[in-house]
Every structure is written in C-alpha cells, then in structure tokens.
Amino acid sequence: MSTQTESERVRGWLTGRLPADWFEGEPELSIDRDEILVVGRIAAPEQSDDVSAAERSAAEEGRIKQYREDTRERRIEIARELEHATRRKVAWGVRCGETRTVFTSLSAPVMTRLRQPERQVLDTLVDAGVARSRSDALGWCVKLVAQHSESWLADLRDAMTKVEDVRRAGPDTATD
C-alpha cells in the first residue's frame, strides 16, 4: 500500500473515531514504518494582548497539561485500536497557540555502519557536551539536516508520491 493511501486510510479512520470536540480542525498526521503521530490543535487560553511571552507560554503549557490528563484514557483506547489495525505504534501531541508538545513518541533503533570520519564527528559532539552518546549525536545530526533542508525533503517526498502513482497506473496493475 502506498504511503499516500495509508495516510488517507488513517486520516479517515481517525475522522470517524476521534471525539468531535477534541481538536480545532483536522489533526496533522505523520506516518513512518514504525509510528503514527497525531497532533491536533486545541484552543489557546483567552488572555489579554498585553501579557508577557512567558505568561502566554505558561498558560499554553497549562492548557496542554489539562488536555493530556482529561483525554488520557480515551487516547490510550483509540491508540490501541489503531495500533491493532495498522501494526504501528501511535503517539499523540497537541498544538496550543505557539506551543507544540508531543506526549510520548517512539524511539526506534536504527542500525547503521559508519566509517571513522563519521564516527569522529559523532565523538566530537559527545566530547563537546552537545550530545550524551553517539546515538544522541546521530539524532542531533539528523534533526539539523532536516531543519536546514526541509524544502528539499518535501520535494523528495512529493516526487516519491508521484512515483507511487505512476507504479499504480502501470501495465502490471491488476484491474477488476
């Protein structure tokens, strides 16, 4: 099944399953081989325009904490159902005002082989205190690359979707 089709299936399932009052609009979905991340927007606390950034941020964090506690049991129930249907772990998060929080997210091991120059980069990050371990340093490097090349990665993902569409329309596709 293509990534786009899987995303549409999950989005449709969640549209039918999530309580209507949980999020403002549709939640954003992020799906990979291991995990489905569901991040919905919740209403920000009403505050006057002259509150400080620290006060606004604290209010948003408080609203997120309240939402997390109020919805915990239902989120677990829905996640178990979706995990069973997709064979992927489900993580939840919310966006409130300018604050985005992911509650619990899967940390999946990724096997890689690195030559000495790449290992030296990771060790430098560890020795400098930027990362706690080589694993942490590698995660830091991936985040940095993603941050600086997001438009390129978006173009690449779009191209992969188009390749999936062409494959599906190919002559070997069974038609009923």
Side-chain angles (χ1 to χ4, degrees), residues 14-33:
L14 285 169
T15 298
R17 184 63 178 90
L18 290 177
D21 61 342
W22 269 17
F23 301 128
E24 295 179 337
E26 286 189 15
E28 62 183 76
L29 291 181
S30 179
I31 301 174
D32 68 10
R33 293 179 183 130

Side-chain angles (χ1 to χ4, degrees), residues 2-173:
S2 76
T3 306
Q4 183 176 357
T5 304
E6 181 71 8
S7 179
E8 290 168 354
R9 258 182 29 82
V10 170
R11 182 171 303 287
W13 189 90
L14 285 169
T15 298
R17 184 63 178 90
L18 290 177
D21 61 342
W22 269 17
F23 301 128
E24 295 179 337
E26 286 189 15
E28 62 183 76
L29 291 181
S30 179
I31 301 174
D32 68 10
R33 293 179 183 130
D34 304 305
E35 180 179 38
I36 298 169
L37 174 59
V38 181
V39 179
R41 179 168 288 284
I42 60 174
E46 289 189 30
Q47 295 178 292
S48 65
D49 292 336
D50 62 342
V51 299
S52 69
E55 187 175 341
R56 186 172 311 281
S57 177
E60 291 169 357
E61 289 173 15
R63 175 67 50 91
I64 290 170
K65 182 174 174 50
Q66 185 66 50
Y67 173 87
R68 184 178 188 184
E69 295 303 318
D70 290 349
T71 62
R72 181 182 313 272
E73 287 183 29
R74 294 279 308 273
R75 282 186 297 106
I76 291 170
E77 177 186 328
I78 292 167
R80 285 187 179 140
E81 292 172 12
L82 187 53
E83 287 170 2
H84 180 73
T86 63
R87 295 190 177 127
R88 289 180 173 94
K89 296 305 264 178
V90 175
W92 297 92
V94 292
R95 184 178 301 276
C96 180
E98 298 300 315
T99 306
R100 182 180 189 269
T101 302
V102 174
F103 302 144
T104 305
S105 185
L106 180 67
S107 180
V110 178
M111 179 64 180
T112 185
R113 295 182 185 275
L114 300 175
R115 302 215 181 275
Q116 189 178 38
E118 291 89 8
R119 293 191 313 266
Q120 288 174 333
V121 169
L122 299 180
D123 291 342
T124 299
L125 293 171
V126 171
D127 293 343
V130 172
R132 294 184 307 263
S133 64
R134 282 182 171 175
S135 175
D136 222 22
L138 188 57
W140 185 87
C141 290
V142 170
K143 288 177 193 170
L144 186 64
V145 168
Q147 177 184 353
H148 291 290
S149 59
E150 190 56 42
S151 65
W152 179 82
L153 288 171
D155 290 345
L156 184 60
R157 289 182 187 112
D158 186 47
M160 290 176 3
T161 300
K162 290 177 183 170
V163 168
E164 283 288 331
D165 293 343
V166 170
R167 281 190 186 136
R168 268 197 313 275
D172 294 336
T173 305

